Amino acid sequence: MIEQSVSVAHRNFLSVKPHSVAFSINGYPLYQYEKPILNLAIQSSPSEYLLQKYKDFIKILSSDQSISSKIIPFYPSEEEFFAEKECNLLSDRVHISYREKEPLTELENRIYNIYNEYQEKNWDGYGAEPMQYLNQSLQFAKALFAESRILIESVEVIPENDGCLCFEWFKSNSKFINISVKDDKLIYTYKFGDDKSCGETTFPGKHMLIEQVKKIV
Amino acid sequence: MIFKKKMKLNPRIEDNEPLARYLFSEKHFSKEKQRVKRQAFMPTKENKVSVIRHKDCPEDCALKIGKKLEDTRTTSLKAFCSILTKDVRAINNLNVVSDTSNYQHRRHANIIGFSEAKMRAIADDLAELASENKSLVVF
């Protein structure tokens, strides 16, 4: 984990019109980073105006559903909060601490690579669609990882011609499970000896499938 | 100069005819494990899987056909595998029909009859057939 901090001072805040600043680090917006921490350290004595703007900003953050963690910091002490997207901040001087994202799990890397590699239509020579459902596939990968690292170590990710990514655990022709991620659905086939099934479920039903994966693994 | 006369193919595909599936993605098979994956047999939006009839077709002929198919695509040929028509017809209402329309190769055929609900499971069965045949040829 690398922590760095960047000090950002922006334009003269004493003017009547508030300034808005979109924070980025080396040109990459904040949401590219793993939970960047914005330390709002107001270094100079704030005017009432500034203080009010600071309060307003916190209010905006609190109401923003996309922000995963809501901490209400307040002057004068430094507080930390997390932001997942670019945010507008009205302040005098801001210290930003951020962590470089932990290396993606190897599975997430594979998903990204396959998703990017198979963006050309007809990539299989038979009219295949470009890859879709990246976020849903990553979400599923995270769910697997949360369950057990072992599950993701033996999975193979395979592109399918309808744009889905398929997660496959294959031991033999009589012992395998395939789970394709299609929008909010998980389409599965599995065979475990004489026990053979196929169907689809939604993400809340993934635990049933993960139990089947454990049998294979 | 000797001209080889092209063998005439019966439009009706016999049960004992071998069918080749040409693969243009290395993700759809495993050379090390000599295994064909189900993605190699997933039907298109038109619900069919394109195959080539390999009746009386030696290996160099199979390769030539593959190269011809490759010429019409932006991806290169990676492998092919084969299955028997009768084994395909034994799976879940599938059939194999000749299709030489739209400038298709004269040996071209389609596996048809995929049920949408079981499409992937059927593709699993076809891949299993191809793998068990040990017919995977990788270029």
Side-chain angles (χ1 to χ4, degrees), chain A residues 55-82:
Chain A
K55 285 182 191 173
D56 289 346
F57 169 61
I58 298 306
K59 214 189 264 182
I60 290 166
L61 280 185
S62 307
S63 61
D64 189 335
Q65 296 296 322
S66 68
I67 293 176
S68 61
S69 217
K70 293 171 192 176
I71 300 170
I72 313 298
F74 209 67
Y75 178 83
S77 57
E78 273 185 29
E79 295 285 351
E80 293 178 0
F81 64 94
F82 299 102

Side-chain angles (χ1 to χ4, degrees), chain A residues 125-126 156 160 168 189, chain B residues 22 35 37 45 73 120 124:
Chain A
Y126 295 106
E156 190 171 352
E160 298 192 317
E168 180 187 74
T189 63
Chain B
Y22 286 87
R35 185 192 148 220
K37 299 176 189 174
K45 273 190 253 186
R73 288 159 168 82
R120 282 170 158 87
D124 282 332

Side-chain angles (χ1 to χ4, degrees), chain B:
Chain B
M1 194 176 283
I2 297 168
F3 292 95
K4 279 188 183 173
K5 196 174 176 181
K6 280 187 180 165
M7 190 192 77
K8 206 166 175 167
L9 285 168
N10 190 336
R12 150 102 189 138
I13 301 177
E14 302 295 332
D15 278 351
N16 63 357
E17 279 194 45
L19 306 167
R21 174 72 169 164
Y22 286 87
L23 306 176
F24 296 86
S25 170
E26 63 271 343
K27 290 284 182 193
H28 290 177
F29 61 91
S30 165
K31 183 182 178 182
E32 298 74 27
K33 295 177 185 172
Q34 280 294 293
R35 185 192 148 220
V36 180
K37 299 176 189 174
R38 71 114 176 263
Q39 286 77 16
F41 286 97
M42 276 180 62
T44 61
K45 273 190 253 186
E46 293 79 30
N47 222 21
K48 53 192 179 186
V49 168
S50 184
V51 290
I52 293 287
R53 299 163 72 178
H54 262 203
K55 183 177 177 176
D56 300 324
C57 189
E59 200 170 303
D60 61 336
C61 165
L63 181 57
K64 278 181 191 160
I65 294 172
K67 289 297 176 186
K68 266 193 183 169
L69 295 176
E70 189 181 58
D71 287 343
T72 61
R73 288 159 168 82
T74 54
T75 50
S76 61
L77 181 63
K78 304 294 190 298
F80 78 86
C81 58
S82 48
I83 45 182
L84 274 182
T85 302
K86 68 174 172 64
D87 293 333
V88 174
R89 286 178 172 151
I91 298 173
N92 215 318
N93 298 324
L94 292 184
N95 197 5
V96 189
V97 293
S98 173
D99 175 22
T100 55
S101 61
N102 296 326
Y103 307 105
Q104 296 277 17
H105 194 280
R106 64 188 194 92
R107 287 177 176 271
H108 181 251
N110 287 316
I111 301 175
I112 58 171
F114 287 84
S115 125
E116 201 179 320
K118 292 186 176 181
M119 176 185 79
R120 282 170 158 87
I122 294 170
D124 282 332
D125 291 339
L126 290 169
E128 184 179 338
L129 275 178
S131 300
E132 284 180 348
N133 274 351
K134 299 190 193 312
S135 61
L136 184 66
V137 174
V138 180
F139 299 114

Side-chain angles (χ1 to χ4, degrees), chain A residues 171-217:
Chain A
K171 290 281 187 184
S172 69
N173 283 324
S174 57
K175 198 175 177 188
F176 64 83
I177 181 167
N178 288 299
I179 302 173
S180 302
V181 179
K182 188 165 192 169
D183 206 2
D184 61 343
K185 286 188 280 213
L186 299 171
I187 308 171
Y188 62 89
T189 63
Y190 69 74
K191 201 170 178 183
F192 193 74
D194 292 331
D195 182 16
K196 186 177 170 179
S197 183
C198 64
E200 62 180 55
T201 182
T202 53
F203 268 78
K206 64 183 178 289
H207 296 291
M208 175 272 288
L209 290 178
I210 291 176
E211 288 307 308
Q212 293 300 330
V213 173
K214 287 177 182 175
K215 280 188 199 172
I216 304 290
V217 169

Side-chain angles (χ1 to χ4, degrees), chain A residues 44-61:
Chain A
S44 57
S45 304
S47 61
E48 277 304 314
Y49 175 73
L50 171 62
L51 207 54
Q52 186 56 50
K53 288 301 165 194
Y54 184 81
K55 285 182 191 173
D56 289 346
F57 169 61
I58 298 306
K59 214 189 264 182
I60 290 166
L61 280 185

